[in-house]
């Protein structure tokens, strides 16, 4: 199992995003980290469950419980970030000088880059 990308500090960053706000890029990067970790852990669980008892498998079925709990928490956190990402306004610059400006736009729910 590779070392997870998402750690305590990722969770703190996600909490900050949800409570104080952050950029779309930051929120999406947190989601990507969580998703990559989920995929790795799902693969690892499949390996644990598929390993024969007499092989190098020294872990019991209870060990997969911790990984499944991690997956559930990670998915919950990603689900909480989804509406937050959709509601983060982003700006589109136009024009130059005194005639220029920034049009602030909110993403519709469910829209992705």
């Amino acid at each position: 199992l590779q070392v997870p990308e998402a750690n305590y500090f990722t969770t703190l960053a996600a909490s900050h995003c949800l409570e104080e706000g952050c950029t779309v890029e930051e929120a999406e990067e947190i989601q990507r980290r969580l998703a990559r970790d989920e995929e790795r852990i799902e693969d690892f669980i499949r390996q644990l469950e598929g390993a024969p008892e007499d092989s190098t498998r020294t872990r019991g079925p209870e060990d997969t419980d911790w990984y499944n709990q991690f997956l559930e928490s990670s998915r919950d956190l990603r689900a909480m970030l989804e509406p937050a990402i959709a509601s983060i306004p982003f700006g589109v610059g136009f024009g130059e000088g005194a005639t220029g400006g920034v049009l602030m736009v909110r993403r519709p729910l469910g829209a992705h880059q």
Side-chain angles (χ1 to χ4, degrees):
L1 178 65
Q2 294 178 349
V3 175
E5 290 183 63
N7 56 29
Y8 172 75
F9 298 105
T10 306
T11 304
L12 282 179
S15 296
H16 174 78
C17 236
L18 292 168
E19 294 169 9
E20 304 293 327
C22 62
T23 66
V24 171
E25 291 79 17
E26 290 170 326
E28 288 177 339
E29 177 57 28
I30 292 168
Q31 279 195 319
R32 284 190 294 271
R33 285 182 187 174
L34 292 168
R36 286 189 298 261
D37 283 350
E38 288 170 20
E39 185 177 324
R40 282 190 215 121
I41 289 173
E42 287 168 348
D43 289 343
F44 183 69
I45 289 171
R46 282 191 289 276
Q47 289 174 2
L48 278 179
E49 291 172 341
E53 291 297 326
D54 60 346
S55 71
T56 57
R57 179 179 176 181
T58 57
R59 302 165 194 250
E62 65 278 356
D63 290 329
T64 59
D65 291 344
W66 184 88
Y67 294 108
N68 284 317
Q69 185 178 12
F70 174 86
L71 287 173
E72 185 177 331
S73 297
S74 179
R75 289 176 182 136
D76 289 346
L77 186 54
R78 282 195 313 124
M80 288 189 295
L81 282 169
E82 191 61 40
I85 290 171
S87 68
I88 296 173
F90 61 95
V92 177
F94 61 91
E96 292 183 37
T99 61
V102 176
L103 173 64
M104 295 304 289
V105 180
R106 286 191 180 271
R107 275 190 201 177
L109 287 176
H112 297 282
Q113 284 183 320

